[in-house]
Amino acid sequence: MSKIRILSGMRPTGPLHLGHLHGVLKNWLKLQEEYECFYFIADWHALTTEYENPKKIQGFSKELFFEWLSVGLSPEKSTIFLQSAIKEHAELYLIFSMFTPVAWLERNPTYKDMLQNLKNKDLATYGFLGYPVLQAADILIYKARKVPVGLDQVPHLELTREIARRFNYLYQVEFFPEPEPLLSEIPKIPGIDGRKMSKSYGNAIFLNDPPEVVRKKILSYVTDIQRPRKSDPGDPENRCVVFNLIKLYFNQEEIEEIIKGCKSAILGCVECKKRLAERVITNLEKIWEKRKEIEKNNWEDLLYKGIERARKIARQTIEEVNSILGFTYKF
Ligand code: TRP
Ligand code: SF4
């Protein structure tokens, strides 16, 4: 029985943090065992917002790839590749752009949100408006059935489905499947200021932070503000953002002990955060170790197998699409 094909990508725009690790990558690792997975580095998509500094993208792509492998994504189990290495994505994007109504793109809520959030950049570009068309090409060129993404990406995926439907309708074929989002329960990962962890908030713990930086950042977390002194009893489940991390890094028994200690004012926040910091570091150490091993290789060599595998499928799809359109030249 063949496995269901899924596909997802990430834009290489900077180092990964604990939010990516627990919110995205842990899920990808699990999916790796169940599905035929395609994971790719969306470097062309990074260009939509970084077009003024395109030279940074290659470094971020390499970094992202090494981090993916360090946390356990496997080039044997999954097809891992780089978007810009498969030129067929661009060809399918061009074809899709011919019949995608501009109104579909303009009403996309994720597009409107991003325009709002990235006010410091000029994003009134053709490429940025067309972002979800390229994303549709990424997905449909492999005829992926499911796409593991966060809620913010659901409108993009709806557009992918509309584009697939429109292609099938216009050319009277049953060619592209309509991919579904694969939503998973995503744990809340707060940054050190209590807001959602994000590079742009400056509140993130990065996977490549040295141990002393991790320690310092964790100790600076805001905790239960109704508990300024250790002698004040706490309420970890309802009033402490750090507890979200505690739940991820300790086992049930340990968690109960922490709750008890906190509620009875025996365990102080400094002590509690110190314990958490050591646990986080122990976990990151495994990633750092693996990273050292992997870095002995050339990243392009490691990527090559995935690129070849992806390219074969992408070429096949493009050939079929061109044949549907009657673009069947011999030269
Ligand atoms: N837009 C996605 C993001 O910002 C990245 C992405 C590009 C993607 N192409 C994709 C995700 C295809 C899933 C499938 O996170
Ligand atoms: Fe949060 Fe730990 Fe402080 Fe309790 S002791 S408020 S769980 S940091």
Side-chain angles (χ1 to χ4, degrees):
M1 217 180 71
S2 66
K3 291 180 177 170
I4 295 173
R5 184 176 294 166
I6 67 169
L7 172 138
S8 198
M10 249 188 226
R11 297 187 317 129
T13 53
L16 296 180
H17 52 63
L18 293 185
H20 297 114
L21 176 63
H22 297 289
V24 183
L25 292 170
K26 290 262 153 110
N27 188 37
W28 285 14
L29 283 180
K30 242 194 317 179
L31 296 171
Q32 205 171 230
E33 309 302 324
E34 269 177 73
Y35 292 92
E36 184 194 357
C37 297
F38 284 63
Y39 296 130
F40 75 101
I41 301 163
D43 56 344
W44 273 333
H45 274 114
L47 200 53
T48 60
T49 55
E50 306 299 319
Y51 60 85
E52 288 176 321
N53 301 300
K55 294 213 170 74
K56 289 205 293 204
I57 299 174
Q58 179 165 165
F60 287 149
S61 295
K62 175 179 166 183
E63 188 57 27
L64 187 60
F65 179 66
F66 276 140
E67 290 195 320
W68 281 2
L69 298 199
S70 310
V71 303
L73 284 188
S74 150
E76 272 80 44
K77 290 182 187 161
S78 301
T79 300
I80 302 177
F81 64 98
L82 180 72
Q83 185 183 33
S84 68
I86 320 279
K87 309 300 182 203
E88 287 75 8
H89 287 229
E91 188 170 349
L92 190 58
Y93 164 60
L94 176 140
I95 292 167
F96 285 169
S97 76
M98 299 303 163
F99 62 74
T100 303
V102 176
W104 287 5
L105 302 172
E106 283 172 338
R107 67 163 195 235
N108 180 304
T110 305
Y111 169 70
K112 290 194 225 162
D113 278 1
M114 274 184 91
L115 275 187
Q116 279 296 320
N117 293 340
L118 299 170
K119 277 228 167 87
N120 54 335
K121 291 187 181 168
D122 181 7
L123 291 180
T125 58
Y126 170 58
F128 191 65
L129 181 66
Y131 184 112
V133 185
L134 180 56
Q135 184 159 344
D138 297 336
I139 299 166
L140 293 174
I141 204 157
Y142 304 103
K143 298 187 180 167
R145 302 286 162 159
K146 290 182 193 284
V147 184
V149 281
L151 271 177
D152 65 311
Q153 296 289 312
V154 168
H156 285 345
L157 216 68
E158 189 51 42
L159 237 132
T160 299
R161 297 155 59 81
E162 284 175 312
I163 289 172
R165 222 177 291 145
R166 189 154 165 87
F167 181 96
N168 294 346
Y169 169 76
L170 281 170
Y171 309 119
Q172 291 297 302
V173 282
E174 273 182 49
F175 187 67
F176 286 120
E178 287 183 32
E180 312 257 357
L182 191 61
L183 297 166
S184 60
E185 215 177 299
I186 294 172
K188 250 204 208 143
I189 313 293
I192 57 181
D193 59 1
R195 291 188 290 172
K196 183 181 169 193
M197 189 177 287
S198 157
K199 184 176 55 133
S200 55
Y201 290 160
N203 66 1
I205 297 167
F206 296 102
L207 302 189
N208 63 5
D209 275 339
E212 60 282 6
V213 174
V214 175
R215 218 169 267 127
K216 210 176 104 213
K217 285 184 177 172
I218 292 185
L219 278 168
S220 65
Y221 258 94
V222 292
T223 58
D224 183 346
I225 47 165
Q226 291 177 48
R227 199 187 170 205
R229 284 172 305 262
K230 183 179 162 186
S231 54
D232 302 316
D235 183 0
E237 288 127 309
N238 300 306
R239 294 203 309 248
C240 176
V241 294
V242 177
F243 192 67
N244 290 296
L245 288 176
I246 291 170
K247 277 190 287 192
L248 292 171
Y249 282 92
F250 290 94
N251 66 36
Q252 202 49 44
E253 209 176 307
E254 293 167 321
I255 294 171
E256 265 151 39
E257 190 209 311
I258 291 170
I259 296 176
K260 230 161 93 201
C262 178
K263 283 187 166 167
S264 59
I266 292 167
L267 176 65
C269 292
V270 174
E271 172 59 27
C272 180
K273 289 193 280 188
K274 270 190 188 153
R275 266 198 230 168
L276 174 64
E278 293 322 305
R279 189 58 69 87
V280 172
I281 290 167
T282 309
N283 273 267
L284 286 175
E285 268 163 359
K286 290 175 204 139
I287 297 175
W288 298 330
E289 284 297 310
K290 186 127 191 222
R291 167 88 191 224
K292 265 196 238 144
E293 271 309 300
I294 294 160
E295 266 183 349
K296 292 181 188 150
N297 300 283
N298 177 299
W299 75 293
E300 284 154 308
D301 291 344
L302 284 178
L303 250 181
Y304 194 68
K305 207 163 50 186
I307 288 177
E308 269 192 314
R309 222 179 305 156
R311 185 176 281 145
K312 216 170 129 212
I313 300 165
R315 288 220 166 125
Q316 169 82 30
T317 305
I318 275 293
E319 214 170 280
E320 288 167 1
V321 165
N322 278 325
S323 145
I324 289 168
L325 298 180
F327 276 48
T328 52
Y329 306 108
K330 289 217 176 60
F331 33 82

